[in-house]
Amino acid sequence: MIQPEDPGWEFIDEAGTFRLPNAHRTSSLYFPLVNEAGIFSAITPTLHGDIKADQNTFLTPPTSVEDLHNSRAARNFWILSNGFEAWSACGNSAVQVGHHFSSEDEESILEAGFLWQRVTRKNSQIGINAEVTNFVPASSDRVELMKVTLTNISEYPLKITPTAAIPMYGRSADNIRDHRHVTSLLQRTTCGTYGVLDTPTLSFDERGHQPNTLVYAVLGVEEDGTAPQGFFPVLEDFIGEGGSLDWPKAIVKNKQPEFQAGMSVDGYESIGALRFRKLTLLPGQVRSFILMLAIMRKDDSVRLVQEYGSAAKFDAWLDITKTYWQSRINMPRLASGDARFDGWMQWVKVQPVLRRLFGNSFLPYHDYGRGGRGWRDLWQDILALLIMESGDVSRMLLDNFGGVRIDGSNATIIGSLPGEFKADRNNIPRVWMDHGVWPLLTTGLYIDQTGDLEFLLHTQVYFKDRLAARAQKVDEAWSSEQGTQLRTVAGEPYQGTILEHLLVQNLVPFFNVGEHNTIRLEGADWNDAMDMASQRGESVAFTAMYAGNLKHLRDWALGLDRKGVKEIEIAAELLPLLDRLNEPVDYDSVSSKQARLGEYFSSCLHAVSGKKISVGLPNLAMDLSGKADWLRQHLRKQEWLRNSEGCGWFNGYYDNQGKCVEGDFPKGVRMILTGQVFALMSGVASAEQANEIVRSVDRYLFDANVGGYRLNTNFGEILPDLGRAFGFAYGHKENGAMFSHMAVMYANALYQRGLVKQGYKVLDGIYQHCQDFERSRIYPGIPEYINGRGRGMYTYLTGSASWYLLTLVTEVYGVKGRLGDLLLEPKLVAGQFDQNGNAALVTRFAGQELEIIYHNPGQLDYGAYRIHSAHLEGHVIDCSDSSLIIPRSRLTLLEPGRIHRIGIELSNETKNA
């Protein structure tokens, strides 16, 4: 167990601002700073971390998590005063680093909010207090702002020489170990009036040798706009022969800068080292310095200084940025009776926004990928947007469907623009078999929130590149000149309805089975590390989810029929997969399914005919229902395990030798949470099986030391026939960590199945662990996983945040849509009500802001209370014992622009008695 040396964080206001004393004494802490203009920063309590715009555009040297303590390169601000040794306002001098754990002369306090960081550092020996604030403004500029405020806390005047020092890099992350020195020869460094600017001549990266037009800049002024007096633009000159960034000779020896505005130097590593004029601080006197760390498309330094370059302008932009981020996470708002939990949830709410901006890259643990999001991320992040934001997401959904291939797979290279998908460029064809699951889940939430079933009738193109038949074949007739849209034989872009896209994504997997008649694992499923069983591997776990999806599609077909839409048109090529409507396939026959799928792939390898066939919606529903029922019965019968200890659960996988992965093995019980989650969520597990799953999961996977439920038991060996996950040490990442995403989805599935107390145990366990700084060692929020020592790993960018928020709102508070109407079905346990018996949620629905207040005066637990009565703005609402529905039409009549209250009285008395 990690032993604490300082107390953990605490919230200091209702806006989610938190304080952490001596944060620098905890390893691997970092904080994200970002804006919509496209600058991405990571910053630590000692101002390590990097600043970049994309993989090829780093202002400062790229940092992975180990660099946070290994590297001496960091944002820095030096003070030389009254004969004392050089002192860093950021804690980055060699002396300060050496005394991190023992110094009584120096303390620091970190404060952070949405999205800004402030570190206050006091040195009682010198008699100085430094407050360093960093944020990325909510503006159109790619700039990080930094203000250093110095206060004389001694009883005597302090004569100080201040110098800012920001190491500059100015090129691709690839060049860290690929031509690092050679690419420094491209640097063209100039000193402007306000700072150091670097404009490399070329960029060397995967795109080849490209002319560079970007300008990397470190600019600075005093609080009143006074420019620096001189510069040290060359790194080796600044640190000096034999020197280092944490003890640079230019500072230690108090060297005078040799560069003035207008001077330049070529071909060396750069640093934005800005020497400000010497000054005397009287006791109690304060002086501030403003730094602008920018990536510009042209030299725009004068305008940046005009926009941000004073203490007043800095403070004004900080207020604007705070307001902007608060507006992004304003909904939903909780009043759970636990202020710490409510504050923690604010940081969970910001995580889906951060992942939409960062993708899965550009933070120290997320040192992989080249920016952008994956297919799964596109859809799961919209889950949170549907709960949090008031805008219409139908356009975003529609755009995303443009990435679906006619073979049921999808584009894997996703651009930064809405609906932008790119052809495979890496020659590494890979298909994730679960990718067809998520669009339907997200579309389902949208339809329930809005009632917009007709969205299924909108049309969209299909994505097309050289990969075909789920990457098993190459379309030799395709070329990049043909573009990335599927075409008809006549050469016209083909469009199908969204319902057709969903059918393609869910019918193809039904037929794409392995030897055990469950869906082939292909490149992997949700668990990317199940990636070594592409020939004979099968994912039983996601076969269950596809069964659930087929049932949802059936329900939507019948819903459209009730609305008067009696038939839809589908591509003629798709009809054979609706086999109950023409030539039925024996679902028990693996070879028959595979043959039918092969015929389909051959019919649309390069193009489609363009012919469409009308299908009656009741007939479509009949076909889909038959497939869903067959899968459910097959899985219940064939994949249910019972081990020697009498425990029952579902097998989740077959490996590349065609062997069942789970059950009793010589080295112990093998169990994976994934297969249980989706058997529950999809409805495949019967009620009896659901209860057995809970008992088995509690027995084999629960571990309070890591915040709850591990992803799998310890298999005790490497499994090269299943995936790289089992090469990881047990308890890390996809091999037995408490993997937050799957754990939260487990909670969601439990709530859906009415296993409320068990679901609460999952959610509360994650929260309790994460908020316990002694164990988790992370800022507020939910990490990707908890490792074997209890530390939170890979913070901020995780789909678990979206699912936690979704589960809390729609299942715990029971605020959800049902084909556009508002359904309230609370599943709160006794401990989630405040001392007055209230639990409240403010959210948006049907264009209105609603405050839903559950009143439980008897502090009854779930299962003991029922809905006794309900009121909307004082008017009685009809309700049942467990839920109530408010028609959308009633909500839309409410006065807009204010919060409307819905009060629900919970009691163990008979309704309206």
Side-chain angles (χ1 to χ4, degrees):
M1 176 65 68
I2 300 168
Q3 296 301 316
E5 294 179 328
D6 297 293
W9 48 261
E10 61 177 352
F11 291 114
I12 59 176
D13 59 27
E14 294 183 356
T17 306
F18 65 91
R19 175 185 291 132
L20 177 60
N22 295 315
H24 64 281
R25 294 178 181 169
T26 294
S27 301
S28 305
L29 289 177
Y30 57 80
F31 190 78
L33 303 173
V34 65
N35 68 11
E36 294 277 359
I39 189 164
F40 309 99
S41 294
I43 189 167
T44 75
T46 53
L47 277 70
H48 285 75
D50 54 27
I51 304 168
K52 60 275 177 186
D54 56 45
Q55 174 73 7
N56 301 312
T57 311
F58 277 72
L59 167 61
T60 59
T63 54
S64 296
V65 68
E66 294 302 320
D67 299 314
L68 300 182
H69 56 257
N70 285 338
S71 175
R72 300 174 182 181
R75 307 163 183 85
N76 217 340
F77 197 93
W78 291 94
I79 303 298
L80 199 61
S81 174
N82 289 19
F84 291 104
E85 289 183 320
W87 184 76
S88 166
C90 309
N92 287 323
S93 75
V95 173
Q96 290 165 287
V97 171
H99 292 164
H100 267 180
F101 306 109
S102 59
S103 175
E104 297 179 359
D105 295 323
E106 187 163 308
E107 296 178 350
S108 73
I109 295 176
L110 177 140
E111 294 180 358
F114 300 104
L115 278 177
W116 55 272
Q117 173 183 288
R118 177 176 297 129
V119 179
T120 303
R121 186 175 302 277
K122 180 177 68 175
N123 187 294
S124 57
Q125 183 182 24
I126 300 175
I128 194 167
N129 188 85
E131 182 183 273
V132 183
T133 305
N134 292 70
F135 72 99
V136 166
S139 72
S140 59
D141 291 315
R142 297 194 295 185
V143 61
E144 179 187 314
L145 303 181
M146 175 174 167
K147 182 172 76 168
V148 181
T149 299
L150 305 176
T151 305
N152 182 351
I153 58 172
S154 74
E155 297 178 355
Y156 49 84
L158 283 178
K159 294 182 178 180
I160 64 172
T161 301
T163 309
I166 314 294
M168 301 175 71
Y169 178 72
R171 49 202 188 270
S172 171
D174 296 342
N175 299 131
I176 276 290
R177 63 161 305 278
D178 185 1
H179 295 88
R180 173 69 189 262
H181 174 258
V182 168
T183 51
S184 74
L185 306 181
L186 305 171
Q187 309 289 54
R188 300 294 184 266
T189 307
T190 60
C191 298
T193 302
Y194 298 104
V196 177
L197 297 88
D198 179 21
T199 309
T201 56
L202 300 171
S203 63
F204 289 0
D205 52 54
E206 65 169 6
R207 302 167 299 177
H209 299 173
Q210 300 279 337
N212 171 66
T213 57
L214 296 174
V215 181
Y216 302 89
V218 174
L219 310 172
V221 293
E222 296 183 35
E223 60 186 24
D224 58 1
T226 301
Q229 288 197 326
F231 309 96
F232 302 93
V234 178
L235 180 63
E236 63 184 60
D237 293 346
F238 179 69
I239 65 175
E241 203 70 38
S244 63
L245 279 169
D246 60 1
W247 205 244
K249 283 190 176 180
I251 301 299
V252 175
K253 300 297 185 181
N254 198 17
K255 285 189 166 187
Q256 296 305 303
E258 296 181 359
F259 282 77
Q260 304 297 319
M263 300 175 68
S264 63
V265 60
D266 299 340
Y268 295 92
E269 293 282 0
S270 303
I271 183 168
L274 285 51
R275 171 65 55 81
F276 294 96
R277 61 184 174 178
K278 296 179 181 179
L279 57 96
T280 299
L281 285 180
L282 300 177
Q285 191 174 1
V286 179
R287 181 64 61 89
S288 294
F289 303 84
I290 314 299
L291 301 178
M292 291 143 278
L293 319 178
I295 300 172
M296 304 178 290
R297 292 179 174 84
K298 61 179 182 178
D299 182 0
D300 208 14
S301 54
V302 172
R303 186 191 64 80
L304 289 181
V305 171
Q306 291 173 344
E307 186 68 44
Y308 308 108
S310 73
K313 292 175 180 178
F314 181 99
D315 293 344
W317 271 107
L318 179 57
D319 288 341
I320 291 169
T321 301
K322 289 179 178 179
T323 300
Y324 167 80
W325 282 106
Q326 286 293 337
S327 72
R328 295 297 303 269
I329 61 166
N330 186 45
M331 292 288 179
R333 298 194 298 273
L334 298 178
S336 69
D338 182 344
R340 187 170 173 87
F341 176 77
D342 296 348
W344 182 79
M345 274 305 302
Q346 293 196 65
W347 288 97
V348 172
K349 285 192 295 182
V350 82
Q351 289 184 232
V353 183
L354 292 174
R355 196 168 73 156
R356 185 176 68 79
L357 295 170
F358 279 90
N360 289 312
S361 304
F362 301 147
L363 287 178
Y365 271 118
H366 294 83
D367 56 354
Y368 49 82
R370 311 182 75 85
R373 290 177 291 169
W375 179 257
R376 225 175 276 121
D377 308 331
L378 289 180
W379 301 95
Q380 295 196 83
D381 292 348
I382 294 177
L383 293 175
L385 294 179
L386 282 164
I387 299 296
M388 292 173 62
E389 300 193 359
S390 59
D392 182 6
V393 303
S394 62
R395 181 74 246 178
M396 191 184 305
L397 283 171
L398 187 64
D399 288 341
N400 288 351
F401 275 104
V404 177
R405 290 193 184 99
I406 196 67
D407 65 4
S409 66
N410 53 268
T412 55
I413 302 175
I414 299 165
S416 58
L417 300 176
E420 182 185 16
F421 302 97
K422 299 180 181 180
D424 170 64
R425 64 170 179 248
N426 299 319
N427 200 28
I428 307 175
R430 188 178 179 191
V431 170
W432 285 261
M433 63 80 63
D434 67 302
H435 278 187
V437 163
W438 311 108
L440 187 141
L441 290 183
T442 303
T443 303
L445 180 62
Y446 167 76
I447 288 172
D448 275 335
Q449 292 282 97
T450 64
D452 185 14
L453 257 179
E454 288 78 5
F455 174 76
L456 298 171
L457 305 178
H458 292 194
T459 60
Q460 180 57 285
V461 298
Y462 286 85
F463 179 76
K464 174 64 181 170
D465 61 4
R466 66 186 187 87
L467 300 179
R470 299 183 72 84
Q472 297 302 302
K473 295 183 179 180
V474 173
D475 178 8
E476 301 291 354
W478 181 85
S479 65
S480 58
E481 290 75 20
Q482 296 171 14
T484 56
Q485 294 182 358
L486 177 69
R487 295 183 180 273
T488 67
V489 292
E492 297 297 321
Y494 174 77
Q495 292 198 1
T497 63
I498 297 305
L499 180 56
E500 182 189 275
H501 283 68
L502 290 166
L503 288 171
V504 167
Q505 288 186 296
N506 290 273
L507 290 173
V508 167
F510 178 82
F511 291 91
N512 189 29
V513 293
E515 59 204 78
H516 300 90
N517 217 342
T518 56
I519 300 171
R520 294 181 57 238
L521 181 56
E522 299 176 297
D525 63 6
W526 166 90
N527 189 338
D528 286 345
M530 296 287 198
D531 57 351
M532 300 172 72
S534 60
Q535 287 79 39
R536 297 177 66 187
E538 298 172 50
S539 175
V540 181
F542 276 91
T543 300
M545 274 307 285
Y546 280 109
N549 275 11
L550 290 167
K551 180 178 178 295
H552 284 301
L553 285 169
R554 177 204 67 185
D555 293 343
W556 291 345
L558 294 175
L560 286 169
D561 181 67
R562 288 192 293 270
K563 282 179 166 283
V565 181
K566 297 303 178 182
E567 60 185 22
I568 63 162
E569 287 189 331
I570 62 170
E573 289 81 358
L574 190 59
L575 187 61
L577 300 188
L578 296 170
D579 61 293
R580 291 296 186 261
L581 305 186
N582 51 86
E583 300 180 30
V585 171
D586 179 3
Y587 292 163
D588 291 326
S589 170
V590 169
S591 60
S592 295
K593 283 182 173 178
Q594 292 174 341
R596 181 61 59 90
L597 184 62
E599 294 169 7
Y600 173 71
F601 284 160
S602 296
S603 72
C604 55
L605 180 69
H606 177 64
V608 292
S609 65
K611 295 179 182 178
K612 295 196 175 187
I613 293 177
S614 293
V615 174
L617 287 172
N619 291 334
L620 175 62
M622 176 199 67
D623 182 277
L624 297 170
S625 184
K627 290 178 168 65
D629 290 344
W630 184 90
L631 283 174
R632 184 172 63 253
Q633 295 304 319
H634 176 78
L635 296 177
R636 285 180 178 179
K637 180 179 179 181
Q638 300 297 330
E639 300 301 336
W640 181 253
L641 305 174
R642 189 169 299 283
N643 74 348
S644 60
E645 297 176 329
C647 293
W649 72 91
F650 280 94
N651 171 48
Y653 294 93
Y654 289 93
D655 67 16
N656 218 30
Q657 295 185 40
K659 295 180 180 179
C660 177
V661 168
E662 300 183 50
D664 286 336
F665 282 78
K667 293 187 177 182
V669 171
R670 292 183 177 179
M671 181 182 191
I672 302 175
L673 183 60
T674 313
Q676 317 326 309
V677 169
F678 295 119
L680 290 168
M681 190 179 290
S682 64
V684 162
S686 67
E688 181 181 350
Q689 288 172 327
N691 287 316
E692 285 205 62
I693 285 171
V694 170
R695 289 193 292 270
S696 300
V697 169
D698 277 344
R699 178 165 186 170
Y700 296 121
L701 297 179
F702 181 75
D703 185 347
N705 293 320
V706 295
Y709 294 87
R710 292 183 179 272
L711 189 56
N712 54 272
T713 56
N714 189 351
F715 285 20
E717 59 183 313
I718 298 172
L719 299 179
D721 287 312
L722 187 55
R724 72 178 188 270
F726 301 96
F728 300 152
Y730 184 69
H732 295 266
K733 244 183 176 302
E734 291 95 341
N735 187 14
M738 196 295 290
F739 211 91
S740 301
H741 196 171
M742 189 55 63
V744 174
M745 287 194 288
Y746 179 49
N748 183 279
L750 291 170
Y751 275 102
Q752 286 193 46
R753 298 302 296 266
L755 299 168
V756 170
K757 294 178 182 178
Q758 296 87 343
Y760 173 73
K761 177 181 176 182
V762 181
L763 294 183
D764 187 59
I766 293 172
Y767 162 66
Q768 294 294 348
H769 189 94
C770 291
Q771 65 87 38
D772 185 346
F773 187 75
E774 177 182 345
R775 292 193 292 169
S776 68
R777 291 285 158 165
I778 57 174
Y779 294 146
I782 186 168
E784 181 183 276
Y785 70 95
I786 306 293
N787 72 12
R789 293 181 172 180
R791 184 185 288 270
M793 307 291 288
Y794 292 73
T795 49
Y796 297 110
L797 309 182
T798 164
S800 57
S802 293
W803 275 88
Y804 202 107
L805 178 63
L806 176 73
T807 303
L808 193 69
V809 173
T810 63
E811 293 298 331
V812 178
Y813 281 80
V815 180
K816 64 181 78 174
R818 177 173 289 178
L819 293 179
D821 295 332
L822 177 61
L823 170 65
L824 300 177
E825 187 179 16
K827 299 175 185 176
L828 295 148
V829 300
Q832 292 174 298
F833 296 90
D834 66 18
Q835 60 184 2
N836 298 315
N838 293 324
L841 175 77
V842 179
T843 189
R844 294 189 183 97
F845 193 90
Q848 303 286 3
E849 291 193 7
L850 305 174
E851 182 182 23
I852 294 109
I853 303 176
Y854 297 109
H855 184 48
N856 180 11
Q859 299 285 357
L860 300 171
D861 204 358
Y862 178 80
Y865 63 72
R866 57 178 61 92
I867 296 179
H868 180 261
S869 61
H871 297 82
L872 170 60
E873 297 286 27
H875 300 285
V876 175
I877 308 171
D878 291 333
C879 55
S880 69
D881 283 348
S882 61
S883 65
L884 65 92
I885 293 178
I886 304 177
R888 190 180 193 85
S889 57
R890 183 168 181 179
L891 295 173
T892 57
L893 294 176
L894 296 173
E895 179 186 349
R898 68 181 186 88
I899 297 176
H900 300 276
R901 177 173 293 184
I902 301 172
I904 298 100
E905 193 79 11
L906 304 178
S907 166
N908 58 3
E909 299 177 7
T910 303
K911 180 169 67 74
N912 295 327

